[in-house]
Amino acid sequence: MLIVEDNALNIKLFCDLLAAHGHEPQAVTDSRLAHDAAREFIPDLVITDIQLPHVSGLELIQLIRADETLKDVPIMAVTAYATAGDEERIRGAGAESYVTKPISVARFVQEVDSLLARKQPVTADV
């Protein structure tokens, strides 16, 4: 799971929450490195802040969706700057989930679990 966030406290919170729920988060603090990091280990989920220096979260979402290798990786957008129309723009760029900061811990974990459950292949009973 890849976390793209420039705030150290948010990185710690997200990583601690995810690790406590059995996930293996990897954080990238420089959004310019996020796309390459995602291509390197193909995460099962990308959680990205939207307000990032250099490459915005919106741009990162578009890069991931345009990448043949990563296009099916679920994306959760997290932002403190929620204005009218933001959710539509972010979902329109390709994020499946949109969470505002400060996050609700329960909602954050629920969204992660929901996104990962949708990604799991369905197997037929034999």
Side-chain angles (χ1 to χ4, degrees):
M1 176 167 311
L2 177 65
I3 299 169
V4 185
E5 171 65 68
D6 61 332
N7 179 291
L9 290 175
N10 286 336
I11 289 170
K12 179 164 179 25
L13 172 63
F14 297 166
C15 286
D16 288 352
L17 272 174
L18 294 166
H21 286 87
H23 303 294
E24 296 178 19
Q26 293 187 31
V28 173
T29 57
D30 186 333
S31 59
R32 293 172 292 192
L33 306 175
H35 184 237
D36 287 340
R39 285 188 59 84
E40 190 174 303
F41 74 95
I42 316 297
D44 52 357
L45 174 65
V46 172
I47 299 171
T48 184
D49 188 11
I50 294 300
Q51 300 293 334
L52 295 165
H54 312 298
V55 177
S56 75
L58 208 55
E59 292 169 313
L60 178 60
I61 292 167
Q62 293 167 336
L63 282 170
I64 290 170
R65 288 294 167 248
D67 187 314
E68 193 61 34
T69 305
L70 301 171
K71 67 179 178 141
D72 295 325
V73 173
I75 300 172
M76 176 194 289
V78 183
T79 186
Y81 303 100
T83 60
D86 278 352
E87 182 171 1
E88 292 78 20
R89 280 187 314 113
I90 291 166
R91 287 184 183 272
E96 287 87 355
S97 180
Y98 175 87
V99 177
T100 57
K101 296 177 193 172
I103 66 163
S104 154
V105 170
R107 175 150 188 258
F108 180 83
V109 171
Q110 179 183 28
E111 287 290 323
V112 167
D113 289 344
S114 174
L115 289 169
L116 292 175
R118 283 187 241 160
K119 187 177 190 295
Q120 299 304 319
V122 178
T123 56
D125 291 333
V126 177

